[in-house]
Amino acid sequence: DADTSLVKAKLKPFILRREKREVLDSLPEKTEVILKCPLSDEQLQLYKTVLEATKQGIQKAKQTKNKLHMLTALLKLRQVCTHPACLKECKNSDIPSAKFELIKEKITELMAKNHKVVLFSQFTSMLDIIQSWIEEQSFYFERIDGTITGQKRMDAVERFQSSEKATTFLISLKAGGVGINLTAADYVIHVDPWWNPAIQAQATDRVHRMGQQNKVIVYKLICAGTIEEKIQQLQAEKQQLLTEIVDIDGEGQKNVDFDEIKELIFT
């Protein structure tokens, strides 16, 4: 109303408001590194099999307008890239993941140098796999996913922030992408691409934010020659499409362009 506007106008000269974009220059440097790795031989064979099934699924979905069927098919392709064991059909298989091997190499290196690492994945099944290996190595770790809420969540953050131990913090997309402060970390690992760059940036900002004293290195892991690489290349020009493809659990009706999806998969 008019009175409120008048008060705001009078107070404006006396109020200092600094938003993050205005203080970015005062934050330590952030370096983003894209690490591309080829699929393992067995993983590649599985990927090709799932790709053919995905193509059939997309053709069928286009005819029946069954969007969920199409999105589920694409989800399976992304799971194969992350780790074959993320697929229900391959849960107990021994098919190696090239990306997991790279993760093990990086975490081993960073823990030996006493760093603190925040690792994000949209798949809790992948966090399970990584956690199992971390426990075998006797590395210190924390974890936040959808099952950890309230005080336990804040306790995990506090331990990570205050401890002097080298630590890996395993975090799922939905549970830890916003609302927490992890400035004790100096490395971020994005295991699988969050196709919406804004969501991925929000996650990185758990670490690279006001209060951060260290330079931050951000690793983004991409499987070369796969759907991951294609979507990375298309992020800027087809952002709306990518959001619709990936946000399977999002609210509201989706308006997916089947021709765009076909182009993405078949070219």
Side-chain angles (χ1 to χ4, degrees), residues 107 111 115-119 124 126-145 148 152-153 155-161 163-171 182:
I107 290 179
M111 292 300 95
H115 289 288
K116 285 194 172 184
V117 181
V118 176
L119 182 147
T124 54
M126 186 58 176
L127 295 183
D128 292 340
I129 292 168
I130 297 171
Q131 178 177 329
S132 179
W133 172 78
I134 284 178
E135 289 173 333
E136 290 175 1
Q137 304 304 309
S138 298
F139 293 145
Y140 188 71
F141 74 95
E142 297 289 348
R143 174 168 171 166
I144 286 178
D145 57 36
I148 300 170
K152 288 184 178 180
R153 172 187 168 103
D155 288 347
V157 172
E158 175 58 29
R159 287 192 298 269
F160 182 81
Q161 286 289 94
S163 172
E164 295 183 2
K165 299 177 182 177
T167 309
T168 300
F169 206 142
L170 307 176
I171 302 181
L182 299 172

Side-chain angles (χ1 to χ4, degrees), residues 96-245:
S97 161
K99 193 176 284 191
F100 182 40
E101 295 304 314
L102 182 56
I103 290 167
K104 290 192 289 186
E105 177 185 319
K106 283 297 176 186
I107 290 179
T108 299
E109 173 189 331
L110 294 172
M111 292 300 95
K113 294 181 179 178
N114 203 40
H115 289 288
K116 285 194 172 184
V117 181
V118 176
L119 182 147
F120 291 102
S121 178
Q122 60 195 298
F123 302 116
T124 54
S125 53
M126 186 58 176
L127 295 183
D128 292 340
I129 292 168
I130 297 171
Q131 178 177 329
S132 179
W133 172 78
I134 284 178
E135 289 173 333
E136 290 175 1
Q137 304 304 309
S138 298
F139 293 145
Y140 188 71
F141 74 95
E142 297 289 348
R143 174 168 171 166
I144 286 178
D145 57 36
T147 67
I148 300 170
T149 58
Q151 191 58 47
K152 288 184 178 180
R153 172 187 168 103
M154 298 318 299
D155 288 347
V157 172
E158 175 58 29
R159 287 192 298 269
F160 182 81
Q161 286 289 94
S162 61
S163 172
E164 295 183 2
K165 299 177 182 177
T167 309
T168 300
F169 206 142
L170 307 176
I171 302 181
S172 66
L173 166 61
K174 287 187 178 181
V178 295
I180 53 176
N181 183 345
L182 299 172
T183 52
D186 54 352
Y187 279 81
V188 176
I189 298 175
H190 289 289
V191 174
D192 31 74
W194 295 359
W195 314 120
N196 184 336
I199 295 177
Q200 194 164 29
Q202 279 183 337
T204 298
D205 286 349
R206 300 310 92 219
V207 175
H208 192 248
R209 58 190 292 135
M210 285 176 279
Q212 176 58 266
Q213 302 297 316
N214 305 307
K215 291 183 179 180
V216 176
I217 306 296
V218 182
Y219 290 130
K220 296 180 178 180
L221 277 53
I222 300 290
C223 285
T226 71
I227 187 75
E228 290 189 341
E229 193 170 51
K230 285 185 180 181
I231 293 189
Q232 180 206 357
Q233 294 166 351
L234 290 172
Q235 273 185 336
E237 60 184 282
K238 297 182 183 291
Q239 182 53 61
Q240 185 58 39
L241 169 66
L242 301 180
T243 302
E244 291 168 349
I245 290 174

Side-chain angles (χ1 to χ4, degrees), residues 12 15-27 205 208-211:
K12 188 173 181 181
I15 296 175
L16 175 62
R17 182 183 179 189
R18 299 180 77 204
E19 296 183 348
K20 184 179 177 184
R21 64 176 177 269
E22 297 170 327
V23 298
L24 283 179
D25 288 344
S26 67
L27 283 175
D205 286 349
H208 192 248
R209 58 190 292 135
M210 285 176 279

